Structures are given as structure tokens and as C-alpha cells.
Amino acid sequence: MKKLTTILAAALTLATSSVLAVNPVPAPKQSVPVLLKNATVHAVVTEPAIQDVLLVDGKIAAMGTNLTAPAGAQVEDLTGKHVYPGLIALINQLGLIEVEAVRATRDDRETSATNPDLQVQVAFNADSAVIPTIRSNGFSHSLIYPDGSLITGRSALMQLDGWNWQDALVQANVGLHVNWPRMGLQTGWWVRDSAEKQQERQREQLEQLQSYFSQAQAYYLAEQAGLNRGRDSRWHAMLALFEGKLPLFVHADDPRQMRQAISLAKQYKVRLVIVGGRDSWRMADELAANNVDVIYTAPYGLPTRTDEAYDQAFSVPGVLQKAGVRFALSLDGFWDTRNLVFAAGHVTRYGLEPAQALRALTLDAAQIAGVADRLGSIEVGKSASLVVSEGDIFDYRGHNIMQLWIDGRNVDLNNKHKQLHQRYQQRYQAAN
């Protein structure tokens, strides 16, 4: 009997562990109104001081002070808590990579150099174990993009609590992504090619990129004139670019790359977004004058040159803000996205205003992604995607995420990291 009890206990433990090993079930659609009361509300947009927010059918229905709860509403007293819009992580490969070193778990790129027709959302794995760890830091949405060489494909904005990619998709075709050819020369001991060989390759890649855009424009003009006798899926996917409906997201760090990208954007009259922008501080005024947005992906890091200050990477957002450049903050990759909130808090000590740091992860990020009519701020009519923190969401000491709603759905914030913590906490408690 004792042996049977032991076996049953072991089986129950195994079953419990198996249940905890999977991602939380996506939250059901909002069924009753939810009234959040007595909170410190960070609306992002200019609003009078408000403490209450009413969520109805996945939307923000009302805001103010001393709101009355509708019949049947669920009331949440958030005294002492902070309410923010759900944070938006632009530029990452969340849901496209599970284990970086295991090729079979990566679906982040194609092998050819020209893939404008690639739509990245179909590769999104809504069951990625990494996603709940990102949600636990306050992120409700993520802009995923395909990597590769030259024209890599089109990005998509995903909400982070879905059964599959169809559930998760918020906005397809957010931008067409281009990896701009390298302009600098590599000189490390590991570099095999001579300077001349590197320069030759750079010229070839630039010529190839120019040729792609020239062919795509010719296809567009022929399409406008009704002269196309067939359909090229690559150039057909770029019609929206020349129509002004699809922004161009150029991944570039060097000023030479960015100036070349600005020239190309002017030539084809397309809206340009710089992704990366490590040296964007060197030409901030130029970027502002050309209405170029920046998704800055290096809020952490060492100086890239021996004559740069130790805090150069941290101070770039402040320089962009002063120049009038609209920007968002990002940490490219996938799992490291969870640290983006702390990166945002960090750069506020190096010239960026705290209110602007919040905009860089909310409203400005939504504007760059073309979804500011739905996301990025707490306003009546927008998506009820909100996050509750015990303190300042950008502060290590106060950043304790209590709740997250995505379109009014109360999302389960459990994740693998928390499960492991609870498991070994019990182990050490039992040992003592």
C-alpha cells in the first residue's frame, strides 16, 4: 500500500510538472466590463489627472476620476499601482527563434537575397516558451521581421497571447525590410578578405540593390499602365511601397549607409525608417530634416570607436529627442526583448526625458508601426491593452508586473522562469 501511494504521488508530481511545462492558455474574450480604480494612470497623451479606466468589449470605454461601475462589472482596486499602455517591442524575432544554436528551431530568414514577397507572420510560433517571459515584463505586442541579406521581406505586428499566428496577427505588411550593404572595412585577425575584395563586394551589393529597386519600379509603372503580361510575386509585393502605403525599414548603423538610404528613399518617394541607428547621433539633424524615423537597437553597449565616450550608446536617444527625430527603442533578437524596459529606464539617466522613454515603447512605437489609431496610449476607443506595475515600470526596484490585459483579455503572466523558481524554491524548502 505504501509503495502504491509513493507511485501515485510520483505520477501526480510528474503530471503537475508536465502541465506547468507548457505555456499558459490564451485568455478568453472579455465578457464583462472591467473598471480599474484608484491607479496612477500613465496615459502617454496629454490628459488631466485620471485614476479610473473602464474596459468594455476589449476597448477603453471611459477614463476619469470616480467613475461608476456599470451593472455586472468587475472592479479592480489598484490603489498605489501604476497603469501603462501595453508596451510595444519593435524589431525582434520573437516566435521565430526558439533556441538560437539549434537550426531546426529557427525560422527567421530565407536564403536568397531578394524576398520582398515574404510575409513573416506565417512563421510565428505562438507557443514559443520565450513569449510568456516577454509578457511578464509588460509587453503586449511585438513587431517581428525576417532577417537575411538585402531585401529580406515584410514585418508584422503580433499580440503576444494567441493560439496561433492567425490569432496573434494585428497588422501585416508593417514595413519592407532591407539590410543595407556594409560600408566600413573589417580589419580583425579573423578577416580573410583584403580591403580591395571587401570594397568590391560592397559595390556589387549596392549595384544589386539598386537593380532590384529599378526592376520593381519598372514593374510598378507597367502595372499602372496595364502593360504587365505576367505576375512576378517579388515585384508585385513592392507595389504598395511605390504607392506610399508600405514604409521602407533599412537596417543600417553607419552614417554612409543611412545617407545612401535617404537618397534611395527620396529617389523612389518612400517613407524611410532606420533600424539600428548606432551612429544616428552623428546626423540627427539630417534625419529630422528628412522626416526619418529611427528604431534604435543599441541602448546598451560599449563604445564602437576608441575616441567615443563610455556612455555614447546610452546618450543617443537623448540626442535624437533634442533634434526632433521620432524614435523607438529596441533590443534586436528575441529573448533579450524582456530587458528593454530596463534599457529604457537606463537611458533616462543619459539625456532622455522619462516621458519620452515611455513614448518610445508605446505611442511613438505604434506610430512607426502604423497602428497608433489602435495602440500606444490610454485613450477612449483604443484597444484595452494595459499593464499594471507595482511601481515605476522602468525601475528594477519598482518593476513588478501584476496584471496585463490584451484587448481586454486578462492574460496569465505565468512563465517557465517563474515555474522553475517555484519548483526549486519548494525543493530547498523541503530540504530544510
Side-chain angles (χ1 to χ4, degrees):
M1 188 66 181
K2 184 177 180 181
K3 183 176 181 180
L4 178 60
T5 302
T6 303
I7 293 173
L8 288 173
L12 179 60
T13 301
L14 180 61
T16 304
S17 300
S18 298
V19 171
L20 289 176
V22 299
N23 283 356
V25 174
K29 186 177 179 179
Q30 183 181 5
S31 58
V32 298
V34 176
L35 178 59
L36 311 181
K37 289 190 67 67
N38 305 321
T40 299
V41 178
H42 303 265
V44 179
V45 294
T46 302
E47 290 280 353
I50 59 174
Q51 295 178 318
D52 303 345
V53 182
L54 178 64
L55 318 181
V56 179
D57 295 331
K59 302 287 186 182
I60 298 171
M63 303 162 54
T65 302
N66 298 322
L67 293 182
T68 302
Q74 173 188 340
V75 179
E76 299 266 356
D77 187 355
L78 299 179
T79 301
K81 306 296 191 299
H82 295 254
V83 175
Y84 298 86
L87 304 182
I88 302 171
L90 296 189
I91 301 302
N92 57 66
Q93 296 182 308
L94 187 60
L96 304 179
I97 303 174
E98 196 65 17
V99 181
E100 201 162 13
V102 180
R103 181 64 186 90
T105 70
R106 300 186 58 152
D107 202 1
D108 58 322
R109 67 182 64 205
E110 291 292 344
T111 56
S112 62
T114 170
N115 301 289
D117 50 345
L118 189 153
Q119 292 187 304
V120 73
Q121 68 269 15
V122 299
F124 181 75
N125 175 21
D127 284 328
S128 169
V130 184
I131 290 175
T133 70
I134 307 302
R135 288 199 308 246
S136 292
N137 275 339
F139 289 94
S140 59
H141 293 78
S142 171
L143 181 66
I144 60 173
Y145 78 97
D147 205 351
S149 60
L150 293 185
I151 304 178
T152 66
R154 290 171 282 169
S155 51
L157 187 72
M158 318 298 286
Q159 59 92 355
L160 298 181
D161 185 51
W163 286 101
N164 48 47
W165 72 262
Q166 293 93 335
D167 281 348
L169 181 63
V170 174
Q171 180 68 48
N173 303 321
V174 171
L176 178 67
H177 288 253
V178 169
N179 272 331
W180 203 265
R182 179 191 295 274
M183 291 293 100
L185 298 177
Q186 294 180 301
T187 58
W189 58 265
W190 61 90
V191 179
R192 297 184 179 182
D193 291 339
S194 65
E196 292 75 15
K197 185 67 175 178
Q198 294 180 56
Q199 290 172 333
E200 180 183 353
R201 186 185 304 113
Q202 291 168 6
R203 285 193 296 269
E204 290 174 353
Q205 290 177 334
L206 277 174
E207 289 172 1
Q208 189 177 29
L209 186 61
Q210 288 286 356
S211 175
Y212 288 154
F213 272 84
S214 177
Q215 292 177 60
Q217 187 188 45
Y219 182 92
Y220 164 74
L221 294 174
E223 186 76 10
Q224 294 293 100
L227 299 177
N228 282 335
R229 294 294 177 264
R231 177 167 175 161
D232 188 314
S233 64
R234 300 170 303 165
W235 310 141
H236 204 84
M238 292 179 67
L239 293 178
L241 182 78
F242 297 108
E243 292 168 351
K245 300 176 182 177
L246 183 66
L248 181 64
F249 283 57
V250 171
H251 296 246
D253 287 310
D254 190 300
R256 290 166 292 185
Q257 293 175 303
M258 289 184 271
R259 288 192 174 98
Q260 290 170 353
I262 290 172
S263 176
L264 183 137
K266 286 181 177 179
Q267 179 182 352
Y268 295 106
K269 297 180 175 60
V270 299
R271 182 166 79 86
L272 176 63
V273 178
I274 293 294
V275 179
R278 182 197 63 208
D279 285 341
S280 56
W281 61 277
R282 292 177 176 270
M283 49 181 298
D285 292 336
E286 192 173 341
L287 293 169
N290 288 281
N291 296 315
V292 177
D293 296 332
V294 175
I295 302 176
Y296 182 62
T297 64
Y300 287 140
L302 296 172
T304 54
R305 300 174 182 86
T306 57
D307 60 346
E308 288 182 353
Y310 77 94
D311 60 351
Q312 185 59 67
F314 317 142
S315 63
V316 171
V319 174
L320 295 177
Q321 178 194 352
K322 291 176 183 176
V325 177
R326 183 169 62 184
F327 68 93
L329 296 175
S330 173
L331 285 174
D332 201 351
F334 60 113
W335 64 267
D336 199 30
T337 297
R338 64 192 177 199
N339 293 320
L340 184 52
V341 281
F342 306 124
H346 186 74
V347 296
T348 62
R349 300 299 182 265
Y350 294 90
L352 184 66
E353 296 175 3
Q356 186 61 43
L358 178 59
R359 288 185 63 101
L361 291 184
T362 53
L363 187 56
D364 284 350
Q367 289 172 341
I368 292 173
V371 293
D373 59 327
R374 291 171 276 170
L375 298 168
S377 60
I378 302 177
E379 297 181 78
V380 172
K382 284 195 173 183
S383 168
S385 296
L386 306 171
V387 59
V388 178
S389 173
E390 276 195 345
D392 185 345
I393 199 170
F394 297 136
D395 188 340
Y396 270 108
R397 296 166 299 178
H399 176 92
N400 185 12
I401 302 301
M402 309 296 296
Q403 290 176 283
L404 173 67
W405 288 270
I406 297 179
D407 297 329
R409 299 179 295 108
N410 197 348
V411 176
D412 190 337
L413 292 179
N414 200 1
N415 61 57
K416 188 174 182 180
H417 291 178
K418 292 180 179 179
Q419 293 164 12
L420 288 171
H421 174 75
Q422 294 163 1
R423 175 179 179 178
Y424 288 103
Q425 188 178 49
Q426 294 174 25
R427 167 70 179 86
Y428 291 122
Q429 288 173 347
N432 294 329

